[in-house]
Amino acid sequence: MMRPALAVGEALRQRAAVSDAELDQVFPDELRDRSHLHWTPVAVAIRAAELLAPTADTRVLDVGAGVGKLCLVGALVTGAMWWGIEQDAVQVAAANRAAWALDVTHRTRFVHGDGSRLAWDEFDALYFYNPFSTVMLAPHASPFLRYATIRATLRRVEQHLAAARPGTRVVTFHGFGGALPPGFTRLAREPAADDALELWIR
Ligand SMILES: C[S@@+](CC[C@H](N)C(=O)[O-])C[C@H]1O[C@@H](n2cnc3c(N)ncnc32)[C@H](O)[C@@H]1O
């Protein structure tokens, strides 16, 4: 039998075992089949949160936050503040609802928009789970438009990263689709689920 959302949140706070199937109950049924391919698994999110937020005053942004799984787990296992920006309004609504169910609305914020167009200077740490391969275009959009949109997005992201403050942390899972600009040093690469978590610091 599955525990209620508050008990699942409390278990994560206590670092007790919580499966993905159990946490995913806080998200709408019709979105849950995305979990396996598109959402950070719980165990990976816990480790990513440790790498992103070593102190409670850290402000973290998940660029392409989906239903907010990374931010929600981060808010439960660290004292930091977690922001997610997501291009799909349905997933933003699901993230806000899940934050309420898990009682972490005071340390999470989810906004709807294009993460590559947001100013990132308010944040100390950034998380990318290979977000930019999922572009929201009309179904009949040409492959050329799709490719050009991804390239333009990655150019903006690389420009943001090139302007990041010293000390900015970047954690990737499955990379972000581009290259970290000069000035970033990779401090860790750890196996995580079917890929790796990488920690980069400016
Ligand atoms: C692989 S999922 C990762 C979800 C979440 N970060 C996690 O780890 O559970 C990538 C998400 O990025 C979103 N995305 C892609 N491009 C985006 C953009 N330019 N701005 C905001 N969100 C974007 C997609 O809609 C998708 O929900």
Side-chain angles (χ1 to χ4, degrees):
M1 201 181 80
M2 299 281 185
R3 292 174 278 196
L6 279 177
V8 171
E10 193 48 38
L12 279 167
R13 280 198 183 92
Q14 305 296 327
R15 299 293 184 103
V18 169
S19 69
D20 285 289
E22 199 167 26
L23 180 58
D24 289 350
Q25 295 298 310
V26 299
F27 305 117
D29 196 16
E30 64 276 15
L31 298 181
R32 256 179 246 154
D33 62 348
R34 301 185 192 188
S35 180
H36 175 62
L37 270 185
H38 295 284
W39 304 343
T40 303
V42 172
V44 177
I46 291 173
R47 181 59 186 146
E50 290 168 350
L51 296 172
L52 285 160
T55 58
D57 60 354
T58 311
R59 293 157 304 175
V60 186
L61 175 67
D62 180 357
V63 183
V67 290
K69 202 160 165 184
L70 181 275
C71 292
L72 297 164
V73 171
L76 289 163
V77 303
T78 73
M81 183 73 201
W82 296 79
W83 289 73
I85 183 161
E86 167 57 46
Q87 65 183 352
D88 174 7
V90 171
Q91 294 190 71
V92 176
N96 279 314
R97 202 206 157 277
W100 176 81
L102 293 164
D103 191 24
V104 288
T105 51
H106 53 301
R107 280 196 297 102
T108 53
R109 295 285 180 276
F110 296 105
V111 295
H112 178 218
D114 178 348
S116 71
R117 295 181 190 275
L118 184 76
W120 294 356
D121 34 356
E122 294 292 310
F123 300 99
D124 309 300
L126 303 159
Y127 179 71
F128 300 93
Y129 174 179
N130 191 23
F132 304 114
S133 53
T134 325
V135 277
M136 283 190 93
L137 294 173
H140 56 269
S142 72
F144 173 76
L145 179 59
R146 204 164 285 278
Y147 174 79
T149 305
I150 293 173
R151 287 306 320 156
T153 304
L154 286 173
R155 253 198 319 277
R156 283 193 296 277
V157 168
E158 286 168 352
Q159 283 164 0
H160 278 310
L161 291 171
R165 281 196 307 279
T168 302
R169 305 167 85 84
V170 172
V171 171
T172 64
F173 181 48
H174 291 274
F176 78 93
L180 268 293
F184 276 90
T185 306
R186 192 174 73 185
L187 291 198
R189 178 179 164 81
E190 304 176 358
D194 57 345
D195 189 61
L197 282 172
E198 292 192 356
L199 168 66
W200 295 78
I201 299 197
R202 182 80 197 257

